[in-house]
Amino acid sequence: MEEKKMSWIVSDAVDYKGFPADKSKTGGWVPAALSLGTNLSASGIYVSQLVIPGIEICERLSTMGIAVNLVTYLGGTMHLSSATSANIVTDFMGTSFLLCLLGGFLADAFLGRYRTILIFSIIQTMGTGMLAISTKLPQLRPPPCNSVLTTKCQQASTSQMGVLYLSLYLIALGTGGLKSSVSGFGTDQFDEKDEKEKIQMAYFFNRFFLVVSTGTLMAVTVLVYIQDEVGRSWGYGICSISMLTAIVIFLSATKRYRYKKPSGSPIVQICQVISASVKKRKLEMPENIAFLYENHPEGSRIHHTDEYRCLDKASVVSEEDYGNNGSLVVNPWKLCPVTSVEEVKMVARLLPVWATTIVFWTTYAQMITFSVQQASTMERTVGGFQIPAGSLTVFFVSAILITLGVYDRVVMPVWKKWNGKPGLSNLQKIAIGLILSAFGMACAALSEVKRLSVARNSDPNTTTLPISVFILIPQFFLVGAGEGFIYTGQLDFFITESPKGMKTMSTGLFLTTLSLGFFLSSLLVSIIKSVTAHDGKQGWVGDHINNGRLDLFYALVSGLSFVNFLFFLLIWYRRRKAKRVSEIAITTNNVSSIAEKVLDIA
């Protein structure tokens, strides 16, 4: 009876009272269903997992509901130029994801994931509420203007933009803290030592993003329509109310969650290893790695690897590490165990892949900025109904949903039957996402060539060009399908390839690729605007896209994407080669260890 009871205990997780988590009452799959509007199971084993994506859905509804249509508000209501509007959106999104590092640090070191999600959800709710108020009050926006060119209209004042910026960056702060912890908290609900739950977790990343994309779909359809046809304040008010509702739902399942206690700041550990290795850089490595310092229990140790050998100096025991009485005195800033060093190496191995996924999010940024501006100049009427420009991203989200649905229901079962694996590897998914985005931007350049040719033959004062907006579908669909692969691939890669105590930080590291992708987009726009503008002309990008060469800008981004894809393939090849070498080394060490024991016995 006692053994059966112990089998229901999750060794590294606790319940809301701080007692060891019981599998029959906590964690599992179903806490995601509450957020999706499905019925809760009466059994407690599933309740916590159904709630977690719920708060992420509402976060996505708020963030994307604002981001995809913000560029039209900045241009049409605040009277800013197309380039400035695009940069404000990408800077807002970039800051949102950059702050994920702050959220990850606080969750790992002090607050834990549960408290981090709760606190930053409240902050985001405050931000969306303030944005709803700022778009409602006429004193916080310039007077209306009917001119096609924003340069002829009165732009928003410094104080009006200040209130808008305060609202946006409160939302960015909330998003950063929230997104860094939600996916990690979701994986906390599964026990990796339980084969059944381990299989469930293999499906988690794909289905997590699938249900989260539902929030994006609602944002780019219903919410954008409400913003354009009913009022911005109504649309942003719904965002605030949805976040408040999500917080209540999240709290309702508190008793059903599994919690992992904060294990200390991984950033401190990384700094300690680097500091110790720098201080001991002149020391010689011992001939046998068995002489390196290690204090972790046998079951939790990580085998030594030959990569980044400069960091191994942190584990070399020197005379300075001994006290006056001859006993070893461990100062973590001067001497680190091999396992701690190997954990830092694991983080270092993430960085090359991290760097090559940044450009994808630069292409993504074009879908919610310039592509929306393209749509706003084109014919969008279908049967008497005019599609909001921001709602064109529905094709983007539809591509994500279709991709994930087909992958989950067709590709994964077939792949498992064919080679015994439950789907494509995380790096295979990332590779597919990168190449799809490169082709997507190539299609965007071609469609812009067509749109510009129509614009040159039309009245300069016309607001709607006689060309269907549906020629933009290929670029939305290809980049959207790419996101379906790359997001799930990155999420899987950064969580499964990182040390256990650094999962929240590694999730934050993954989300910084989104941040830097948006910032790279802003940088490219600024550079291109500066370099190509001459003789009083706006250049490739500027005040209005009809007078620019957005096709050349898209072609540039497409070229960068193809070059970046080649770099990724090189890094992938080197990772596979290094992994094979490491596996051979570990096998050799194990055989040597067994041989030594046999000789000792003999």
Side-chain angles (χ1 to χ4, degrees):
M1 186 69 181
E2 187 67 26
E3 290 182 4
K4 185 176 181 181
K5 184 177 180 181
M6 288 297 294
S7 67
W8 285 102
I9 297 298
V10 183
S11 60
D12 58 347
V14 297
D15 61 17
Y16 75 107
K17 291 183 177 180
F19 298 123
D22 187 337
K23 290 183 184 180
S24 64
K25 298 179 180 178
T26 63
W29 254 118
V30 180
L34 185 59
S35 57
L36 302 177
T38 58
N39 294 325
L40 280 176
S41 167
S43 171
I45 189 170
Y46 295 119
V47 177
S48 57
Q49 253 307 329
L50 291 173
V51 181
I52 293 165
I55 202 159
E56 177 73 358
I57 285 177
C58 292
E59 179 278 324
R60 185 59 68 95
L61 177 69
S62 298
T63 304
M64 294 306 297
I66 292 166
V68 296
N69 210 28
L70 182 60
V71 70
T72 60
Y73 177 75
L74 294 170
T77 303
M78 307 302 274
H79 307 147
L80 304 179
S81 70
S82 61
T84 302
S85 300
N87 279 357
I88 288 174
V89 175
T90 51
D91 287 345
F92 160 65
M93 293 295 286
T95 303
S96 298
F97 293 111
L98 185 63
L99 287 170
C100 290
L101 282 178
L102 172 64
F105 170 75
L106 292 175
D108 281 336
F110 305 107
L111 300 175
R113 292 175 185 137
Y114 175 81
R115 290 191 184 92
T116 301
I117 292 172
L118 180 60
I119 291 170
F120 284 93
S121 296
I122 294 171
I123 292 174
Q124 187 172 42
T125 303
M126 293 167 57
T128 50
M130 182 179 291
L131 186 62
I133 294 172
S134 70
T135 54
K136 178 67 176 177
L137 299 177
Q139 301 94 318
L140 296 178
R141 59 181 184 270
C145 177
N146 296 321
S147 175
V148 175
L149 297 175
T150 57
T151 53
K152 295 182 179 180
C153 301
Q154 179 183 331
Q155 291 191 357
S157 66
T158 303
S159 60
Q160 290 169 339
M161 290 302 297
V163 174
L164 179 64
Y165 281 137
L166 179 60
S167 304
L168 289 176
Y169 285 97
L170 268 178
I171 296 169
L173 178 60
T175 299
L178 181 58
K179 290 189 76 67
S180 64
S181 295
V182 170
S183 55
F185 193 54
T187 59
D188 286 348
Q189 309 311 309
F190 298 102
D191 183 7
E192 294 183 29
K193 297 176 182 177
D194 184 305
E195 285 301 318
K196 182 179 179 181
E197 292 196 13
K198 188 176 181 180
I199 293 172
Q200 290 175 341
M201 191 168 72
Y203 286 86
F204 171 76
F205 299 108
N206 196 49
R207 293 176 180 175
F208 174 82
F209 190 51
L210 181 66
V211 297
V212 166
S213 296
T214 305
T216 305
L217 183 64
M218 293 171 62
V220 302
T221 52
V222 178
L223 207 56
V224 169
Y225 179 79
I226 291 173
Q227 290 171 14
D228 285 356
E229 302 300 327
V230 181
R232 294 274 174 171
S233 58
W234 279 96
Y236 299 147
I238 289 173
C239 292
S240 186
I241 293 171
S242 69
M243 278 303 301
L244 188 60
T245 304
I247 292 170
V248 174
I249 295 173
F250 179 71
L251 290 172
S252 69
T254 297
K255 295 181 180 180
R256 303 296 188 181
Y257 296 133
R258 294 174 188 169
Y259 302 87
K260 302 287 180 72
K261 294 181 179 179
S263 56
S265 171
I267 295 177
V268 173
Q269 179 183 332
I270 293 171
C271 291
Q272 287 174 340
V273 170
I274 294 173
S275 173
S277 61
V278 170
K279 290 175 181 177
K280 295 184 175 182
R281 64 188 181 279
K282 295 182 180 180
L283 296 180
E284 293 292 331
M285 285 288 294
E287 294 182 2
N288 191 332
I289 60 172
F291 292 112
L292 294 176
Y293 174 68
E294 179 62 280
N295 65 353
H296 285 72
E298 186 68 35
S300 62
R301 291 181 181 180
I302 300 177
H303 290 287
H304 174 269
T305 59
D306 289 331
E307 288 183 282
Y308 307 106
R309 299 204 66 175
C310 59
L311 296 176
D312 291 336
K313 297 291 184 73
S315 299
V316 175
V317 181
S318 66
E319 293 181 1
E320 295 179 0
D321 294 318
Y322 289 92
N324 295 328
N325 59 356
S327 62
L328 187 65
V329 178
V330 180
N331 181 340
W333 293 94
K334 295 181 179 180
L335 182 63
C336 304
V338 171
T339 295
S340 296
V341 173
E342 290 301 320
E343 287 178 336
V344 175
K345 287 184 182 182
M346 290 174 71
V347 174
R349 292 186 195 104
L350 302 177
L351 296 181
V353 174
W354 169 85
T356 52
T357 54
I358 292 171
V359 172
F360 173 86
W361 299 105
T362 299
T363 66
Y364 174 93
Q366 312 318 311
M367 297 299 103
I368 62 173
T369 52
F370 286 125
S371 292
V372 174
Q373 289 182 352
Q374 283 179 290
S376 68
T377 67
M378 302 169 78
E379 179 59 55
R380 309 189 306 276
T381 303
V382 177
F385 173 75
Q386 187 177 59
I387 303 170
S391 289
L392 260 292
T393 48
V394 69
F395 296 107
F396 182 82
V397 183
S398 297
I400 296 173
L401 294 173
I402 292 170
T403 300
L404 294 177
V406 170
Y407 178 78
D408 190 66
R409 294 299 179 184
V410 179
V411 176
M412 289 185 76
V414 172
W415 197 260
K416 186 175 182 180
K417 188 176 181 179
W418 181 50
N419 65 4
K421 297 180 180 180
L424 300 171
S425 71
N426 42 44
L427 293 180
Q428 287 172 329
K429 289 181 182 179
I430 292 172
I432 294 171
L434 291 177
I435 195 63
L436 285 176
S437 69
F439 281 114
M441 292 312 298
C443 288
L446 293 175
S447 64
E448 179 61 6
V449 169
K450 178 64 175 177
R451 194 195 68 83
L452 282 176
S453 67
V454 173
R456 292 190 187 99
N457 297 319
S458 302
D459 184 351
N461 295 317
T462 187
T463 57
T464 304
L465 299 174
I467 180 172
S468 174
V469 75
F470 294 114
I471 69 167
L472 303 181
I473 289 178
Q475 66 199 59
F476 280 113
F477 198 88
L478 284 170
V479 178
E483 187 188 357
F485 281 107
I486 200 168
Y487 193 101
T488 54
Q490 279 186 281
L491 188 61
D492 186 359
F493 176 78
F494 280 91
I495 287 181
T496 58
E497 298 291 323
S498 65
K500 287 186 177 181
M502 299 185 184
K503 292 190 183 298
T504 305
M505 189 202 72
S506 63
T507 303
L509 186 65
F510 148 52
L511 293 171
T512 59
T513 62
L514 282 75
S515 170
L516 295 177
F518 284 114
F519 285 138
L520 178 59
S521 176
S522 296
L523 180 63
L524 280 175
V525 170
S526 298
I527 292 174
I528 294 301
K529 181 181 178 181
S530 176
V531 171
T532 60
H534 56 85
D535 299 330
K537 296 183 179 179
Q538 70 171 42
W540 292 4
V541 294
D543 295 328
H544 199 282
I545 59 173
N546 286 353
N547 302 323
R549 291 300 307 272
L550 192 59
D551 55 332
L552 297 179
F553 178 74
Y554 280 162
L556 173 64
V557 176
S558 179
L560 288 174
S561 298
F562 278 113
V563 172
N564 179 72
F565 175 69
L566 295 178
F567 275 109
F568 175 80
L569 292 180
L570 177 62
I571 289 166
W572 187 4
Y573 170 76
R574 294 186 65 180
R575 279 184 62 88
R576 291 183 65 182
K577 184 178 179 180
K579 187 176 181 180
R580 285 197 296 267
V581 171
S582 178
E583 288 173 350
I584 293 171
I586 290 172
T587 302
T588 302
N589 289 335
N590 288 340
V591 171
S592 299
S593 178
I594 294 171
E596 288 175 2
K597 291 179 179 179
V598 170
L599 289 173
D600 289 341
I601 293 172

